[in-house]
Amino acid sequence: MDQEGFRIPRRFVARDAVVDELARLAQAFDASCREVEVNRDTVNRELGQQYGAIFEAHLQMLRDPRLRTELDEMIRERHYSPEYAVSRVMRRYVKVFQTLENSYLADRAHDIIDIERRLLRNLLGLRREEISQLTSPVVVLAHNLTPSETANLDRQFVRGFVTEIGGPGSHTAIVAGALEIPAVVGMGPFLSDVSGGDLVIIDGDRGEVILHPDEETIARYRHEAEESRSLAARLETLRDLPAETTDGVQVTLLGNIEFPHEVRHCLDRGAGGIGLYRTEFLYLGAETEPNEETHYEAYARVADAMGSRPVVIRTLDLGADKVIGLNPSTVERNPFLGLRSIRVSLRNLPLFRTQLRAILRASVRGNLRIMFPLITTLIELRQAKMVLADVMEDLEESGVEFDRNISVGMMVEVPSTVVMIDHFMSDVDFISIGTNDLIQYTLAVDRDNKDVAALYNASDPAVLRLLQMAVQGAQGRPVNACGQMSGSPPYTMLLLGLGLRQLSVTPSAIPEIKKICRSVSIAHCEEVARHALSLENARDVKNYLKEELKKILPELAD
Ligand code: PEP
Ligand code: MG
């Protein structure tokens, strides 16, 4: 998909297909002219000829014999596909217009882009939205995929994806985990080097994409894929064994989910429960706004599937990169510092109350817990709890059953909350450290921006100290850690050594993390954490943690 969301066409056509391809181009021109004529006539009628003239200009261009000759030659002589020829030629025209000093003329570039899109649409017969209507397996290579676009990728056919922009902590990357497909985000510009039908390898482990691989590379990757399947099969045997350290300490491994169907992924990996259900995904990509029943059905489904195991339902964490629709008038300049998460819920009480009612109603079906995201101040937490108490009262008055003693917790993902953690503890039953946001707010690095991705670092000593402060300040209440760091093997010993006994991870990461828990002692992990905390920069910490893991489980350390 190019920047505007169009499929990048296949580049070349076979010699004997040239005649057919020329005919296809001619048909696309005819169809485009007909569409523009209809638009012109409607506008002439409704608004007058001076407006219809815009389309008349489009028609003139579409009928320009020089343009057609140029395109025909590209197809006939260079064997370009019609789509590729159209995008090459039109892009060149656009560039010429864009460099003109006269801004009125420079704006005409939009008209050319419009004509290009129309031609491509008529050639491809596919629009961006129809990426959800695939009929055969593909890899998606796109300039950008929003979390909701990613959430809507068809799991049956999309085998992997790569984006030019986006950061390692983005929700687009997180959803790849939910889809259990390889992905690389923030690759930088590469789309001009590929076209539809090319062969690519997506190496999600290393964050690499190989275009047009040779036979030897393909063979090497087939071998690696086989090895990783066999490692997964070996780890599967751990499914029903406890995540118990060699010195007998129990670790609880929970799953993070974005969609109710992922309970299957959790149960298949032997998760002890759901540590984080990102409920905002009910909204992302939904055609209509979820009502109380939609919420209820999702929570009841998860509760039923998980039985007596705990399920932590996080209230809506909308905003920042998780936006519903794109309304240009509400685009924020600093969305991660803006109206997001609990702030959205507290500003929009009907939305918040609807969700809380649904969670409470579903609470009788299983072991549900409520968790508020992005709590930054104690007042915010208390406001959220007041709304919850009020909703409980309403339910009681209407005789609706719910779990009156439902556990209520908060996410710790802002440094202010860590610093003040002791003050929060009497107001919550548990906390869950969200390292994805904690890293970005501690280091002032946008988790979604590839240009600063190298600075987004879980190994930073400042992050380690904040984790330590949060665990020590929790006064014995349960502390979970649920960011991406928790499911990343090099950090497991560190997290256990810092005192964490609950980790909530992408379901597919559970077997590896369990393997590590079962291979280490807490005493050793504490030693590792102590040493890591004494180091002064992220690189040293990362290298040290990788080395320590390598000593114990080399197959998980790459
Ligand atoms: C986090 O910030 O670490 C977290 C788990 O929440 P999210 O990734 O949804 O922001
Ligand atoms: Mg977060």
Side-chain angles (χ1 to χ4, degrees):
M1 326 279 301
D2 69 6
Q3 288 234 15
E4 279 93 37
F6 274 87
R7 257 189 3 166
I8 295 180
R10 196 175 171 78
R11 205 175 283 169
F12 298 105
V13 295
R15 200 179 295 267
D16 58 7
V18 163
V19 174
D20 289 345
E21 295 296 298
L22 286 169
R24 221 157 56 77
L25 180 70
Q27 277 165 10
F29 265 89
D30 288 347
S32 300
C33 285
R34 276 197 304 277
E35 286 169 12
V36 177
E37 278 163 4
V38 170
N39 289 347
R40 177 199 58 193
D41 295 345
T42 313
V43 172
N44 276 347
R45 210 170 40 244
E46 305 279 330
L47 299 171
Q49 296 218 336
Q50 65 276 38
Y51 291 100
I54 298 171
F55 293 104
E56 193 56 49
H58 283 205
L59 266 180
Q60 276 176 20
M61 176 143 188
L62 282 165
R63 289 180 181 144
D64 177 7
R66 265 191 340 197
L67 172 66
R68 280 297 292 281
T69 310
E70 193 174 355
L71 292 170
D72 284 355
E73 273 175 18
M74 280 183 158
I75 297 170
R76 196 177 299 118
E77 277 152 38
R78 291 201 234 166
H79 297 170
Y80 280 7
S81 72
E83 292 88 347
Y84 187 53
V86 164
S87 63
R88 277 294 289 265
V89 171
M90 302 304 253
R91 289 298 149 113
R92 204 178 67 236
Y93 286 18
V94 166
K95 282 222 172 81
V96 173
F97 274 94
Q98 281 171 339
T99 51
L100 295 175
E101 295 286 321
N102 178 326
S103 71
Y104 175 78
L105 282 177
D107 273 353
R108 300 276 63 77
H110 294 299
D111 289 305
I112 308 213
I113 292 173
D114 199 51
I115 295 170
E116 181 203 352
R117 287 179 156 211
R118 192 181 294 287
L119 282 168
L120 285 179
R121 205 156 48 226
N122 279 311
L123 279 166
L124 293 163
L126 261 182
R127 286 167 221 256
R128 181 179 181 120
E129 311 89 75
E130 289 166 6
I131 192 171
S132 58
Q133 290 163 22
L134 296 166
T135 49
S136 57
V138 293
V139 292
V140 176
L141 310 177
H143 176 65
N144 186 27
L145 286 172
T146 64
S148 47
E149 285 167 331
T150 316
N152 282 318
L153 290 177
D154 186 334
R155 284 185 299 138
Q156 192 187 349
F157 294 118
V158 176
R159 297 285 197 261
F161 68 81
V162 185
T163 62
E164 291 190 320
I165 65 170
S170 68
H171 288 93
T172 297
I174 288 169
V175 174
L179 298 173
E180 306 206 335
I181 55 176
V184 178
V185 300
M187 191 66 216
F190 75 101
L191 288 175
S192 51
D193 298 328
V194 280
S195 49
D198 284 357
L199 192 62
V200 299
I201 293 175
I202 300 175
D203 180 343
D205 290 333
R206 298 190 186 88
E208 287 172 6
V209 180
I210 300 164
L211 306 179
H212 322 299
D214 56 24
E215 283 304 323
E216 191 191 325
T217 313
I218 295 173
R220 182 157 49 83
Y221 268 92
R222 283 205 203 288
H223 179 68
E224 274 197 32
E226 194 43 56
E227 298 231 303
S228 95
R229 268 192 294 273
S230 90
L231 175 64
R234 268 181 282 137
L235 292 174
E236 225 170 80
T237 58
L238 301 177
R239 208 193 90 121
D240 299 317
L241 298 175
E244 186 183 314
T245 60
T246 55
D247 45 357
V249 173
Q250 292 293 332
V251 181
T252 305
L253 294 183
L254 306 160
N256 290 346
I257 63 169
E258 285 71 45
F259 313 103
H261 71 79
E262 285 181 89
V263 288
R264 200 53 279 143
H265 299 177
C266 293
L267 293 170
D268 286 349
R269 271 62 174 242
I274 308 283
L276 170 66
Y277 176 8
R278 291 183 166 100
T279 58
E280 57 279 3
F281 279 88
L282 283 172
Y283 282 73
L284 301 177
E287 307 225 314
T288 50
E289 184 171 342
N291 58 19
E292 186 178 318
E293 282 320 297
T294 320
H295 282 278
Y296 175 76
E297 277 160 25
Y299 309 149
R301 183 173 160 197
V302 175
D304 290 350
M306 297 308 289
S308 61
R309 293 173 228 230
V311 174
V312 178
I313 303 202
R314 177 174 77 180
T315 64
L316 297 173
D317 189 34
L318 287 167
D321 61 335
K322 290 180 282 197
V323 285
I324 316 165
L326 268 186
N327 178 352
S329 68
T330 57
V331 170
E332 296 176 297
R333 288 225 295 183
N334 274 316
F336 278 106
L337 301 180
L339 191 58
R340 67 166 292 209
S341 202
I342 193 71
R343 300 170 188 175
V344 173
S345 297
L346 290 174
R347 287 271 188 102
N348 190 338
L349 291 182
L351 175 104
F352 195 27
R353 293 173 64 95
T354 300
Q355 176 172 38
L356 292 173
R357 275 178 68 92
I359 302 173
L360 289 170
R361 279 174 53 209
S363 66
V364 291
R365 313 255 307 232
N367 183 359
L368 298 193
R369 296 167 188 191
I370 295 178
M371 176 162 75
F372 301 121
L374 204 82
I375 295 292
T376 309
T377 65
L378 190 52
I379 294 193
E380 216 166 37
L381 172 65
R382 292 199 174 141
Q383 281 175 341
K385 284 181 65 182
M386 260 164 53
V387 180
L388 176 64
D390 203 47
V391 173
M392 284 184 169
E393 210 170 290
D394 277 0
L395 287 178
E396 235 156 37
E397 273 170 19
S398 359
V400 177
E401 268 191 62
F402 65 94
D403 175 6
R404 194 106 215 19
N405 299 316
I406 189 164
S407 283
V408 178
M410 66 170 186
M411 297 222 28
V412 174
E413 41 188 352
V414 186
S416 63
T417 313
V418 179
V419 171
M420 300 295 289
I421 194 73
D422 49 328
H423 287 268
F424 285 91
M425 291 319 297
S426 52
D427 277 71
V428 286
D429 298 312
F430 66 92
I431 61 172
S432 188
I433 307 174
T435 48
N436 302 337
D437 277 313
L438 187 60
I439 296 165
Q440 82 162 343
Y441 294 126
T442 303
L443 302 175
V445 179
D446 181 343
R447 61 193 271 192
D448 213 359
N449 180 345
K450 79 168 179 52
D451 296 328
V452 288
L455 305 174
Y456 182 89
N457 211 326
S459 307
D460 196 283
V463 174
L464 270 44
R465 284 195 189 183
L466 286 170
L467 288 174
Q468 186 186 37
M469 278 173 77
V471 177
Q472 289 179 351
Q475 299 163 13
R477 292 237 203 300
V479 185
N480 179 31
C482 63
Q484 295 295 85
M485 188 178 180
S486 306
S488 173
Y491 297 107
T492 311
M493 281 192 267
L494 169 80
L495 294 171
L496 296 181
L498 287 172
L500 283 147
R501 296 292 177 265
Q502 263 186 41
L503 301 173
S504 189
V505 307
T506 304
S508 59
I510 290 176
E512 289 186 356
I513 303 300
K514 187 185 277 187
K515 177 78 184 159
I516 300 173
C517 293
R518 292 177 57 82
S519 310
V520 297
S521 70
I522 292 294
H524 178 60
C525 293
E526 283 171 353
E527 194 48 51
V528 168
R530 230 185 337 267
H531 184 73
L533 278 162
S534 74
L535 298 171
E536 63 176 21
N537 67 60
R539 199 195 50 220
D540 291 351
V541 172
K542 185 76 187 265
N543 288 340
Y544 168 67
L545 294 177
K546 277 188 158 173
E547 280 308 310
E548 285 302 307
L549 178 60
K550 211 177 203 164
K551 283 184 206 160
I552 295 171
L553 289 165
E555 69 271 32
L556 296 185
D558 303 336

